Amino acid sequence: MTEPLRLDRALFTVRGPDTTEFLQNLVTNDVTLLARQPVIYAGILSPQGKVTADFMLWRTDEGVLLDVHAGAADVLRAKLMLYRLRAKVEIGPIEAGLGVFSGDLTGRAILSAADPRLPEAGLRAIALAQGAPPEAEPEAYRARRIEAGLPDLAHDAAPEEVFALEALFEELNGVDFQKGCFVGQENVSRMKRRATTRKKFCPVAFDGAAPPFGTAITAGAAEIGSIRTGIEGRAIALLRLDRAQEALEKGETLVADGKALHLAAPPWLIMPSATEAA
């Protein structure tokens, strides 16, 4: 059994009689799912549909506990405070004594469940923790998620850089297309309806060390994307998958920092069809 890893996350609670309605009108996923499952994945978007922050929402006796990257916690709390208006909710302070872990914490966990994004992400848990959380993503966790093809927006993108479907919210169970309005919903629905999501996160494989973060990916003379977080032999890339597929069909090589790249798309990744790429 692998040792549980503490993640660079922060926690705060939203509580009060209007909690479900308040969050339901803001976040991408269906908050009522928490009535029958312990945790969901979601995000809050800009009005234009780009991801401001992504996070987990946990059901608790006191309300909903938000599990978000430590560097985005203050931004997320401020955004929720901005939208609170007359809603009967309290947005609590950062919980200093709790930590978020990846792994099995049987006997220690206050909350524990399978990661709602991917089975390969394993168990996720909240438990009492001493000391400050890690300042950067633990190396073993980074390797595991990159092998699975799982992007982490806190490490792979800037705030409001990518649209929700570019960030794989559909594949990772982070958006509900039927629940009704939420901030940025119109853009998300339009991209889904028109099948216009051609740029996405996708893992790529190569020999040797990863090219630096932000390195351009080219196909012939065209720049079609960039490297994001990487490990030996593999990285998360953000790229135009339609152009990547077209280049590979023509026998062209994808290149970053002089290295030949191979698409390593997992079977669950929704790829653009030939019709969409046209």
Side-chain angles (χ1 to χ4, degrees), residues 171-214:
E171 290 93 333
L172 299 176
N173 305 308
V175 62
D176 188 294
F177 295 104
Q178 309 299 324
K179 66 171 237 177
C181 291
F182 55 86
V183 176
Q185 179 264 344
E186 181 178 350
N187 182 282
V188 174
S189 296
R190 181 169 59 249
M191 292 180 73
K192 170 66 173 174
R193 185 173 63 252
R194 297 180 180 176
T196 54
T197 311
R198 298 168 186 168
K199 180 174 71 173
K200 287 188 174 186
F201 288 110
C202 178
V204 292
F206 42 81
D207 292 329
F213 186 102

Side-chain angles (χ1 to χ4, degrees), residues 11 58 65 98-101 108-112 124-128:
L11 296 153
W58 295 80
L65 187 63
L98 297 178
V100 179
F101 296 82
R108 286 182 51 196
I110 296 170
L111 297 168
S112 181
R124 195 176 187 93
I126 295 172
L128 295 174

Side-chain angles (χ1 to χ4, degrees), residues 26-245:
L26 295 179
V27 308
T28 57
N29 211 340
D30 182 2
V31 181
T32 67
L33 290 171
L34 289 175
R36 54 185 184 273
Q37 64 188 67
V39 60
I40 62 174
Y41 175 59
I44 191 165
L45 311 181
S46 71
Q48 294 74 34
K50 293 193 172 185
V51 184
T52 301
D54 67 329
F55 41 85
M56 305 289 177
L57 297 96
W58 295 80
R59 181 185 71 236
T60 73
D61 293 339
E62 295 185 355
V64 175
L65 187 63
L66 274 74
D67 158 3
V68 61
H69 181 255
D74 288 339
V75 171
L76 178 57
R77 288 184 68 250
K79 182 74 73 172
L80 295 179
M81 293 289 287
L82 179 68
Y83 284 115
R84 184 178 59 173
L85 301 176
R86 297 182 181 179
K88 296 177 181 177
V89 295
E90 297 177 9
I91 300 168
I94 302 297
E95 299 280 356
L98 297 178
V100 179
F101 296 82
S102 176
D104 188 349
L105 277 179
T106 301
R108 286 182 51 196
I110 296 170
L111 297 168
S112 181
D115 191 303
R117 297 170 297 177
L118 282 179
E120 293 87 344
L123 290 175
R124 195 176 187 93
I126 295 172
L128 295 174
Q130 296 181 338
E135 294 183 1
E137 185 178 36
E139 185 175 346
Y141 178 79
R142 181 189 305 120
R144 190 164 72 237
R145 75 166 179 85
I146 292 175
E147 286 291 341
L150 180 62
D152 184 325
L153 298 191
H155 298 283
D156 294 322
E160 300 187 6
E161 179 185 4
V162 293
F163 291 103
L165 299 190
E166 294 176 345
L168 311 189
F169 273 39
E170 182 174 6
E171 290 93 333
L172 299 176
N173 305 308
V175 62
D176 188 294
F177 295 104
Q178 309 299 324
K179 66 171 237 177
C181 291
F182 55 86
V183 176
Q185 179 264 344
E186 181 178 350
N187 182 282
V188 174
S189 296
R190 181 169 59 249
M191 292 180 73
K192 170 66 173 174
R193 185 173 63 252
R194 297 180 180 176
T196 54
T197 311
R198 298 168 186 168
K199 180 174 71 173
K200 287 188 174 186
F201 288 110
C202 178
V204 292
F206 42 81
D207 292 329
F213 186 102
T215 300
I217 298 172
T218 58
E223 183 176 327
I224 63 170
S226 63
I227 295 289
R228 299 306 166 109
T229 309
I231 57 174
E232 184 83 10
R234 198 173 179 93
I236 299 293
L238 180 62
L239 75 165
R240 282 286 299 264
L241 289 174
D242 57 334
R243 293 183 179 176
Q245 289 175 302

